[in-house]
Every structure is written in C-alpha cells, then in structure tokens.
Amino acid sequence: MINTILVTDDNVLDNAIIRNYLYKERYNIVSALNGREALELLESRNIDLILLDMVMPVMDGYEFMKVFSKTPFYKEIPIIVTSSLDGVENIEKILEYDVFDYIIKPLDHINRLILVNKIKTAVKHRNLISDLNKATKIIDTLSTTKNI
C-alpha cells in the first residue's frame, strides 16, 4: 500500500524540497499552500499523514488544527509540524493539539533526514492504528452475529 502524505506549506521552495524527498521514499504526495486548501484535500482524498507549517496565509496552522481536532474522522491522521516557530510559547501551544511530532525549519540536510525518519515512524503508526480499527470492527461484527 502506498501511503498519501499531505504537505501543507505556503513556502513553495520548502514545499517542493519536502515533496522531492518524499517521492524518493515512494509516498504519494498532495500539497496545499494553506490550511483551507488542506481541509479541502482532506475531504476529497484518503490522507495518511499531514506535514503542517504554522505560518501561512488564508488559514494558518493553528486555525487548521482547531478545525481538524474537532473532526472525529481525522483523529487517526498524525500531524508532523514543520515550522520556523521555535519559542517555548509557540511549541507549547502547538503541542496542545496532540501533534505526532515537531521539527524546526529551516530544513537543512540533517533535518530533512530526521524528518523522513519521523515520517516513516508516523506512517507505520497510522497503518497500525488503521489495522487495529479494522480488526476491532471484525471482532465486533463477529460477536454481534454470534449473540443473535
């Protein structure tokens, strides 16, 4: 199964660099330039992971996460924040949304390698949760059928 990653970043260069690294890792990539575009893609695509910048026009990362966190269907999709916001207040505010991970930009060569590793871990996590939910539904169906 090829996992789909949503790259949400208004910086076209950062967006392209990240997509290039992910294509090499054989992920399916879709991208958005702001949170509103990201939400539209979430409604129309099966997304397995979101890379999210915080500072964007139209709808920033905070506004995106407010909407995202209120939608139960999205709760299984991990978010890795990639942002230049590095102050303690900013990081604490971001972590309140229960993001999977956080990496500070700029994404130099080492940070790109770290990001790819974090992405692999997050995708494995997403796949395990998805498999667990499918197994739980099967067990629930079997136990309901057996009780009839």
Side-chain angles (χ1 to χ4, degrees):
M1 172 167 88
I2 296 176
N3 293 98
T4 300
I5 298 174
L6 171 56
V7 179
T8 308
D9 194 328
D10 66 314
N11 182 312
V12 178
L13 181 60
D14 283 349
N15 200 315
I17 289 170
I18 292 170
R19 285 193 332 262
N20 187 45
Y21 265 79
L22 297 177
Y23 282 129
K24 290 177 185 176
E25 296 294 325
R26 303 213 189 284
Y27 292 111
N28 187 23
I29 312 300
V30 292
S31 64
L33 297 176
N34 60 64
R36 185 169 324 234
E37 288 180 14
L39 288 172
E40 289 170 5
L41 285 168
L42 279 168
E43 290 176 10
S44 64
R45 304 287 300 261
N46 185 21
I47 304 296
D48 297 301
L49 172 70
I50 300 168
L51 297 180
L52 180 67
D53 184 24
M54 298 307 292
V55 181
M56 297 177 289
V58 182
M59 178 185 274
D60 66 18
Y62 294 110
E63 293 174 78
F64 171 84
M65 288 196 295
K66 283 178 189 172
V67 174
F68 180 87
S69 65
K70 291 178 184 175
T71 309
F73 181 74
Y74 298 151
K75 71 179 182 177
E76 296 174 9
I77 304 171
I79 296 176
I80 297 177
V81 172
T82 58
S83 181
S84 58
L85 297 176
D86 60 355
V88 173
E89 280 184 25
N90 290 318
I91 293 172
E92 285 176 343
K93 188 175 176 182
I94 291 165
L95 295 178
E96 286 176 13
Y97 286 99
D98 196 29
V99 298
F100 188 85
D101 216 326
Y102 183 92
I103 191 161
I104 297 172
K105 293 194 290 188
L107 295 175
D108 58 17
H109 182 69
I110 296 297
N111 279 343
R112 282 184 223 135
L113 294 175
I114 292 169
L115 178 60
V116 169
N117 188 57
K118 289 179 180 208
I119 288 167
K120 287 178 183 178
T121 301
V123 168
K124 284 179 188 176
H125 179 266
R126 164 75 164 135
N127 291 340
L128 287 171
I129 295 297
S130 180
D131 290 347
L132 179 62
N133 287 337
K134 288 175 187 172
T136 301
K137 285 179 184 176
I138 291 169
I139 291 169
D140 288 346
T141 301
L142 290 174
S143 66
T144 304
T145 305
K146 196 173 191 178
N147 290 334
I148 293 180

